[in-house]
């Protein structure tokens, strides 16, 4: 792949990913990931090598979104570093909307994305704060 991903494509990707997260659409979430994939946080790391493993890792998040009554997620792209023609590091701060229409502060993540012929996929997620 010779061309880096553009900002519009990144925005579209994170819009789709955020919609899948708040809808608990596990197959759509899994489709956003490269395999194998990696998640890294301060106190844990885990990898997954199949769509089923991605799905299992997000099953636990669905009740949290429901309990907090989150109905939408918006990714604010804070920084983009084009590492190569296919790899892009994206800093994202998530903002959520609850069922009453109130903004709910979210978390910050770094996403290492790989550009594929069908669009970007997440290789690594790093919890940033």
């Amino acid at each position: 792949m010779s061309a880096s991903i553009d900002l519009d494509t990144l925005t579209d990707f994170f819009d789709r990913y955020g919609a899948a997260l708040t809808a608990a659409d596990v197959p759509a979430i899994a489709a956003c990931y490269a395999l194998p994939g990696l998640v890294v946080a301060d106190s844990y790391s885990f990898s997954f090598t199949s769509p089923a493993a991605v799905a299992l890792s997000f099953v636990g998040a669905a009740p949290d979104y429901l309990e907090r009554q989150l109905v939408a997620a918006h990714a604010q792209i804070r920084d983009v570093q084009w590492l190569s023609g296919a790899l892009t590091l994206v800093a994202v701060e998530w903002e959520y909307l609850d069922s009453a229409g109130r903004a709910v502060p979210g978390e910050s993540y770094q996403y290492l994305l790989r550009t594929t012929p069908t669009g970007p996929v997440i290789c690594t997620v790093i919890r940033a704060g």
Side-chain angles (χ1 to χ4, degrees):
M1 176 89 25
S2 60
S4 294
I5 194 167
D6 63 42
L7 195 53
D8 288 339
T9 302
L10 289 173
T11 300
D12 291 344
F13 173 78
F14 283 109
D15 286 349
R16 193 171 64 249
Y17 183 58
L21 288 171
T22 54
D25 185 346
V26 176
I29 293 168
C32 292
Y33 280 82
L35 299 175
L38 180 64
V39 175
V40 179
D42 287 343
S43 60
Y44 63 88
S45 297
F46 63 88
S47 63
F48 33 77
T49 58
S50 70
V54 176
L56 283 173
S57 70
F58 282 94
V59 166
D64 180 55
Y65 285 108
L66 290 173
E67 181 180 311
R68 295 169 55 195
Q69 298 181 354
L70 302 179
V71 297
H74 173 72
Q76 297 176 347
I77 297 173
R78 298 295 187 199
D79 187 44
V80 178
Q81 296 176 39
W82 287 274
L83 304 176
S84 71
L87 297 176
T88 307
L89 186 63
V90 183
V92 170
E93 185 176 333
W94 287 98
E95 181 179 81
Y96 301 104
L97 191 65
D98 69 14
S99 60
R102 293 182 299 256
V104 178
E107 301 90 11
S108 296
Y109 293 88
Q110 295 274 335
Y111 295 89
L112 178 61
L113 304 177
R114 178 180 299 121
T115 303
T116 70
T118 59
V121 289
I122 301 167
C123 298
T124 303
V125 177
I126 302 169
R127 174 81 190 257

